[in-house]
Amino acid sequence: MDVLNLAELLLSPDEKNELHSSMELLEQSDHSAFYEKNQSIIQSILFLETLEEFLDFSKENELDAECFCAAFLCAHGYGIQIGGYEDDLTHTLMEFFHTQGIEYPEISEIVHREKIYTDCSDYDNFKKSMTAINQVLDSHGMRLIVLEDYIYCDCEYTVLRVDKTLAENVLSTWSSENFEIYL
């Protein structure tokens, strides 16, 4: 299983159609139409602000399908993307948990216990905090999956909320060239 397979399991039928339509544009090298349809997602992945910048990028590079799919999932409310060098994720995580309906006091306590940060090293406390949060979520039948990639940035984390059973399936069958999975 990779990000594309995971998206197939999470997305609604309409969202799947939207994703497939976008992927077809990308495969057909219709970069202008792809950009028009996915401008905010492209900006979140590549930090490119204009069609011209994306067309310039596309002359020499292909947009990675798994990276696009991970960003697509986040843009549709299934997760959040977190950069590899974030100072304080308290507000970001609490907002995400609120939108996901995950408002348990134990989780709030974990998030507020200490400043959660990432620095793409063994010294960040992000993964440790996500592990503690997953221990709470396990008893509620859900889990966070954290994907890490190094394709366009030093590292980027994609955090997805999934059903506990699906998370176990994903963990046991994960096979991606681009994303390492944690939790």
Side-chain angles (χ1 to χ4, degrees):
M1 179 173 302
D2 63 12
V3 179
L4 299 167
N5 303 124
L6 180 56
E8 288 292 322
L9 298 173
L10 294 175
L11 295 171
S12 72
D14 288 342
E15 292 166 333
K16 285 181 196 176
N17 289 337
E18 183 182 343
L19 176 63
H20 292 291
S21 171
S22 291
M23 297 301 281
E24 285 175 18
L25 292 172
L26 193 58
E27 290 168 11
Q28 296 166 356
S29 297
D30 191 346
H31 297 111
S32 294
F34 179 81
Y35 182 84
E36 287 296 318
K37 185 173 186 159
N38 300 289
Q39 184 175 355
S40 64
I41 295 173
I42 292 167
Q43 288 173 348
S44 76
I45 300 170
L46 300 172
F47 307 103
L48 301 176
E49 297 295 323
T50 66
L51 172 61
E52 291 75 29
E53 289 176 321
F54 182 65
L55 293 175
D56 207 32
F57 167 86
S58 299
K59 287 178 188 173
E60 297 180 24
N61 304 286
E62 280 189 40
L63 180 63
D64 181 78
E66 279 192 283
C67 285
F68 172 73
C69 193
F72 185 91
L73 285 168
C74 292
H76 285 79
Y78 293 91
I80 57 170
Q81 291 187 302
I82 297 172
Y85 297 96
E86 298 288 333
D87 262 349
D88 186 359
L89 293 167
T90 304
H91 177 73
T92 302
L93 291 173
M94 290 308 295
E95 188 175 296
F96 173 65
F97 294 142
H98 174 74
T99 62
Q100 293 291 315
I102 304 172
E103 299 184 272
Y104 304 112
E106 310 92 72
I107 291 176
S108 181
E109 180 183 317
I110 293 166
V111 173
H112 288 95
R113 184 178 307 148
E114 62 182 331
K115 185 168 78 168
I116 298 174
Y117 63 94
T118 63
D119 68 3
C120 292
S121 75
D122 294 335
Y123 301 109
D124 72 16
N125 65 350
F126 175 67
K127 292 174 192 164
K128 179 184 90 176
S129 299
M130 294 297 101
T131 300
I133 290 168
N134 266 342
Q135 291 173 348
V136 173
L137 291 177
D138 270 350
S139 64
H140 296 281
M142 63 185 97
R143 199 175 281 166
L144 299 177
I145 292 178
V146 179
L147 306 174
E148 181 178 6
D149 79 87
Y150 293 89
I151 295 176
Y152 299 114
C153 298
D154 276 349
C155 66
E156 171 99 4
Y157 297 102
T158 301
V159 180
L160 303 169
R161 183 187 77 75
V162 297
D163 176 84
K164 182 179 174 180
T165 306
L166 176 59
E168 291 168 359
N169 180 34
V170 169
L171 286 170
S172 68
T173 61
W174 191 254
S175 177
S176 170
E177 292 181 22
N178 301 325
F179 285 83
E180 289 185 44
I181 192 167
Y182 295 95
L183 310 174

